[in-house]
């Protein structure tokens, strides 16, 4: 009897123990992060305004002041070691997952006075491109170099945000794919035009380093540091390869350097204009660009001008992805074009459905933007892959995985005419799930299978759900919400925090719960009380953990920075315990596009 009791007690789950922090972690969390953020942002605003005035001397003085400050160095280290997804990926030195004591050491080592002349090479890995047989080379710097690059980015980005062209949208804070699509609709919505659709071949790998450094126009020490990063070379499976051209794709500062290299392309097209009102309009997202004009002769001249301009930067257009088409009528067998996973085209319609110009005159066509056929095809294949992976998994686990994919993909395309594609995806998904259920129970009849996995609802098979009412999310449950394009040359460094916090709440990839929390908290983090800014990693946290009886109601949730979330659950004296993972506890970043959307490459 006693032995049975002892075995029963041994099998019981041990009570959860509150996490006790070590002194270094506690000291790191107690740093005045709010003051650091305010101090750094204050200097960045001054850099932005000095760059707008054209005062280069003031810009460089402020940049030196920013990079020497302890606040900026600590924030740079926190960004790369806590916030970034790549914190668990090591460079050539094998260092990853920095502890608080190591973070303090790195913050002291990245002071500009201690910058070394030589830089360790980046570790190159190859990742597959979605839906293609090609692979993209990714360069991973060491954690120390990531901290230095983030510090340099803090200083350079405000300067160039004041200079960048209005219609440049890729890899810029506060701008996204949806802003580029809205700009395209604004350019062609009232007039049919010819389109020059182009892609730059190997943009990151082929940039002329000398031309880039000359365009950078910075003081010698910073110029030498950037040059050292460009010349550092790559290590591929233990073999060293020099880098005489390009910038490693994957570094913290690489996207900014790429934008600096392509800056001025829009200005170069101003000499092609025919009249004051009728001039070519360009929209660029990273290395993808489209140019619109009403005449074919102008588009052909634009193509020549862009080719000549890119040669000075060591770049060229990719012939397989470069073509000329028309938005309304066929040209060389093509009509319309695809951009960032969207299909953009104008359709002839009758007088009752036609669009009108600013004077109210019927146009005879309607501009429709919707998900591209390739994007829908890849999404359907992705869902099928998840279903095939979980042939013997519980139904609830399958629903959880599929709902996350459906939610992300639907949110990415909810700003355009996507209802027909949503319904088609739902129909095909039901067929895939029906095949999954029949394969699990080959000896059961269809009525039994329907009763087992579906409940009453709309459609032939009803709603795919568990007995605990855990329903599969449908594509058509996502409401269409039009995206408002960013205002002109507005930047997060202009100081208008109210405008940017409102845009964050209305961002297409921001889910319903997070959007309501941002509105409830007036765009501020509940822990540090700072305004959420573009690029911040935001997570949903349960105020009372579910393990302690907390529910899923909105009053028991709050929006926090990722680092604030870690700090809150690591604070021993607050009495909080580490929560278990939850489907609702996912992060949102508007610095990048949705991970479930289409890549721009």
């Amino acid at each position: 009897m006693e032995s049975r009791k002892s075995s029963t007690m041994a099998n019981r789950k041990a009570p959860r123990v509150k996490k006790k922090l070590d002194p270094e972690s506690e000291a790191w969390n107690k740093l005045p992060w709010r003051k650091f953020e305010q101090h750094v942002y204050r200097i960045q605003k001054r850099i932005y305004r000095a760059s707008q005035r054209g005062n280069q001397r003031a810009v460089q003085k402020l940049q030196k002041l920013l990079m020497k400050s302890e606040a900026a160095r600590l924030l740079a280290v926190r960004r790369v070691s806590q916030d970034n997804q790549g914190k668990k990926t090591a460079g050539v030195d094998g260092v990853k997952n920095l502890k608080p004591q190591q973070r303090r050491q790195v913050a002291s080592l990245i002071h500009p006075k201690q910058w070394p002349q030589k830089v360790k090479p980046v570790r190159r890995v190859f990742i597959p491109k979605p839906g293609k047989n090609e692979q993209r080379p990714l360069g991973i710097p060491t954690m120390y170099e990531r901290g230095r690059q983030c510090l340099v980015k803090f200083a350079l980005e405000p300067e160039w945000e004041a200079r960048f062209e209005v219609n440049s949208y890729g890899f810029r804070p506060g701008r996204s794919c949806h802003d580029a699509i809205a700009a395209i609709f604004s350019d062609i919505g009232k007039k049919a035009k010819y389109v020059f659709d182009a892609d730059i071949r190997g943009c990151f790998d082929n940039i002329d380093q000398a031309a880039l450094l000359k365009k950078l126009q910075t003081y010698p020490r910073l110029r030498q540091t950037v040059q050292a990063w460009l010349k550092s070379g790559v290590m591929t499976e233990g073999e060293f390869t020099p880098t005489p051209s390009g910038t490693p794709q994957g570094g913290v500062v690489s996207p900014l350097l790429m934008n600096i290299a392509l800056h001025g392309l829009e200005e170069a097209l101003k000499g092609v204009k025919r009249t004051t009102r009728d001039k070519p309009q360009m929209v660029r997202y990273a290395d993808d660009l489209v140019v619109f004009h009403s005449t074919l002769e102008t588009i052909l001249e634009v193509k020549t001008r862009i080719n000549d301009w890119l040669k000075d930067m060591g770049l060229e257009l990719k012939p397989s992805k470069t073509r000329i088409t028309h938005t309304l009528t066929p040209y060389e067998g093509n009509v319309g074009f695809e951009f960032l996973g969207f299909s953009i085209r104008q359709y002839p319609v009758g007088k009752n459905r036609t669009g009108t110009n600013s004077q109210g005159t019927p146009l005879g066509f309607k501009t429709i933007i919707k998900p591209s056929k390739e994007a829908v095809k890849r999404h359907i294949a992705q869902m099928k892959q998840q279903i095939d992976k979980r042939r013997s998994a519980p139904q609830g686990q399958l629903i959880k995985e599929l709902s996350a994919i459906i939610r992300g993909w639907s949110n990415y395309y909810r700003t355009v005419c996507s209802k027909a594609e949503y319904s088609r995806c739902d129909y095909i998904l039901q067929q895939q799930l029906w095949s999954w259920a029949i394969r699990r129970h080959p000896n059961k009849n269809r009525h039994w299978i329907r009763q087992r996995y579906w409940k009453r609802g709309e459609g032939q098979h009803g709603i795919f759900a568990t007995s605990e009412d855990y329903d599969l999310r449908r594509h058509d449950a996502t409401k269409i919400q039009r995206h408002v394009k960013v205002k002109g040359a507005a930047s997060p460094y202009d100081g208008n925090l109210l405008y940017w916090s409102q845009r964050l709440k209305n961002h297409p990839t921001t889910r319903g719960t997070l959007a309501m929390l941002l509105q409830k908290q007036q765009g501020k983090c509940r822990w540090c009380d700072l305004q959420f800014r573009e690029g911040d990693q935001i997570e949903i946290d349960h105020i009372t953990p579910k393990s302690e009886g907390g529910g899923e109601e909105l009053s028991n949730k709050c929006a926090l920075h990722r680092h604030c979330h870690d700090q809150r659950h690591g604070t021993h004296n607050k009495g909080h315990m580490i929560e278990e993972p939850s489907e609702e506890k996912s992060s949102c970043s508007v610095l990048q596009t949705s991970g479930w959307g289409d890549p721009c490459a």
Side-chain angles (χ1 to χ4, degrees), residues 149-169:
Q149 289 187 16
C150 188
L151 182 63
V152 170
K153 185 180 178 182
F154 283 168
L156 283 180
E157 193 171 59
E159 174 192 358
W160 284 94
E161 276 296 311
R163 299 184 187 181
F164 281 146
E165 294 155 328
V166 173
N167 289 315
S168 166
Y169 297 97

Side-chain angles (χ1 to χ4, degrees), residues 314-510:
L315 300 171
E316 62 178 359
L317 296 175
K318 191 173 184 178
S320 61
K321 291 188 176 181
T322 300
R323 64 173 186 165
I324 297 176
T325 181
H326 195 269
T327 58
L328 180 60
T329 58
Y331 175 77
E332 296 183 350
N334 298 317
V335 58
F337 63 100
E338 293 183 1
F339 192 67
L340 303 178
F342 294 87
S343 175
I344 304 168
R345 182 179 169 182
Q346 292 168 337
Y347 295 86
V349 293
K351 63 179 182 180
N352 294 327
R353 301 186 65 185
T354 180
T356 58
N357 60 15
S358 55
Q359 287 79 31
T361 306
L363 299 173
F365 62 83
K366 201 171 186 66
T367 303
I368 295 181
I369 303 177
K370 58 184 180 181
S372 66
K373 291 182 179 179
E374 285 298 321
V376 175
K377 184 179 178 181
R378 283 195 296 268
H379 178 57
I380 293 173
Q382 185 184 15
M383 292 189 297
K384 185 178 185 303
Q385 183 182 11
Q386 292 296 327
I387 293 173
D388 291 341
K389 277 183 181 179
R390 290 164 176 80
R391 292 186 178 183
S392 58
Q395 184 185 11
Q397 184 181 351
L398 177 62
I399 289 176
K400 181 179 179 180
E401 296 295 332
L402 288 177
S403 294
I405 296 172
I406 293 169
R407 181 185 293 109
W409 192 85
S410 302
N411 285 345
Y412 182 78
Y413 288 105
R414 72 177 182 178
T415 62
V416 296
C417 304
S418 304
K419 279 297 182 182
E421 282 69 23
Y422 286 169
S423 298
R424 179 168 173 262
C425 289
D426 282 329
Y427 174 78
I428 294 175
L429 178 60
Q430 287 295 326
Q431 305 305 314
Q432 293 174 343
L433 293 172
W434 186 249
S435 299
W436 172 85
I438 292 177
R439 185 168 56 240
R440 287 169 68 97
H441 305 283
N443 298 324
K444 298 291 185 181
N445 58 47
R446 291 176 176 267
H447 177 72
W448 185 93
I449 293 175
R450 189 179 296 112
Q451 293 287 347
R452 173 70 172 78
Y453 293 106
W454 278 267
K455 67 179 183 180
R456 291 180 178 272
E458 299 177 0
Q460 181 181 359
H461 299 297
I463 301 173
F464 190 73
T466 63
S467 56
E468 295 81 15
D469 292 335
Y470 191 26
D471 301 350
L472 175 67
R473 181 182 177 86
R474 294 178 59 89
H475 292 81
D476 56 13
T478 303
K479 296 181 179 179
I480 300 299
Q481 177 182 338
R482 300 303 178 187
H483 180 69
V484 180
K485 190 176 80 70
V486 63
K487 292 181 181 177
S491 170
Y493 299 107
D494 58 14
N496 191 357
L497 294 178
L498 179 60
Y499 170 74
W500 292 105
S501 63
Q502 290 175 345
R503 280 187 61 81
L504 180 63
K505 175 176 68 71
N506 297 322
H507 195 269
T509 56
T510 302

